[in-house]
Amino acid sequence: MSSDVSLAPNPESKVENPSAYFQKHPPGITYVQYSLDKETEYLPQIRELISKDLSEPYSIYVYRYFLYQWAELCFMALDTTDNNKLAGVVICKLEPHRGGPLRGYIAMLATKDSFRGKGIATTLVSKAIDLMIEKDADEIALETEETNTAAMKLYERLGFLRSKKLHRYYLNGNSAYRLLLYLKEGVGSMPTDEYSYGDIPFHGEDDQAHQHQDAQDIFSQGIV
Ligand SMILES: CC(C)(COP(=O)(O)OP(=O)(O)OC[C@H]1O[C@@H](n2cnc3c(N)ncnc32)[C@H](O)[C@@H]1OP(=O)(O)O)[C@@H](O)C(=O)NCCC(=O)NCCS
């Protein structure tokens, strides 16, 4: 039900040019990597920004799951004209996927309403992609709601391909696309274990009852 062979990206394909080309610098915006010493100032702002566009807000533990383990893969856009307040954020992780490829995962992405359409999210995602490339990632994955035109456009412009349609993926009943960016040739053919340490057993993506049991998917519901 969820897989759609016609959507599968070519496993031999890979990203051709570094994403720096897409990075934009609107006046007053500076880009900063998250670090744990910034938690007091920025975690509340991150939660507020992300939860604004979520149907069910994440608990603080979900944010900490990502930020404590992959702080450097979180980038923030700050408004220098307003006390460096948060204008946008991307939160990611990077780990082997079921014993196979080193997979980057974009978990959350948001830009404050008043700053949208200026290339901020594109720059945040580009910075995350560049760092994952530096860390030898094989591929990058994410899910996004099929009706999220801005996000689909942004990711497809950066080279992400539709890998699967996930029917009624979100708790609000909306469907999603899983998008993949291959960073190395042939990575789509790398073998993976069905069950590997750290994953909750996954019973097949065609089975909707188990769709949300993939540990990675649990943290992606509602936003990407
Ligand atoms: C998706 C989101 C992060 C984009 O942030 P942003 O900083 O405005 O993004 P950018 O300016 O880098 O690029 C957005 C692209 O989408 C386009 N876009 C924006 N709104 C659009 C719309 N309603 N319809 C079509 N395209 C749209 C922009 O034109 C731009 O494409 P372009 O550069 O080719 O013109 C932002 O809209 C947001 O925070 N949405 C709510 C949370 C969310 O949906 N997160 C993504 C989950 S995967």
Side-chain angles (χ1 to χ4, degrees), residues 52-125:
K52 194 170 166 298
D53 291 294
L54 270 183
S55 41
E56 316 92 24
Y58 295 129
S59 85
I60 185 120
Y61 302 108
V62 176
Y63 291 94
R64 287 188 173 145
Y65 166 81
F66 288 102
L67 295 175
Y68 282 9
Q69 297 183 80
W70 299 278
E72 76 281 10
L73 286 175
C74 168
F75 289 92
M76 304 185 292
L78 306 182
D79 178 6
T80 59
T81 67
D82 187 14
N83 295 318
N84 287 332
K85 282 207 187 118
L86 189 73
V89 68
V90 66
I91 296 178
C92 311
K93 69 173 180 169
L94 178 67
E95 61 185 357
H97 178 63
R98 296 194 180 124
L102 183 59
R103 175 182 276 195
Y105 183 71
I106 299 177
M108 306 178 201
L109 171 71
T111 300
K112 215 183 233 179
D113 291 10
S114 51
F115 290 94
R116 289 186 187 167
K118 299 177 193 297
I120 289 176
T122 302
T123 298
L124 290 169
V125 172

Side-chain angles (χ1 to χ4, degrees), residues 18 26 31 48 65 79 83 90 117 120 125 179 200 202 210 216 224:
Y31 296 95
E48 191 186 333
Y65 166 81
D79 178 6
N83 295 318
V90 66
I120 289 176
V125 172
L179 303 182
I200 296 169
F202 188 58
H210 298 290
Q216 181 164 287
V224 288

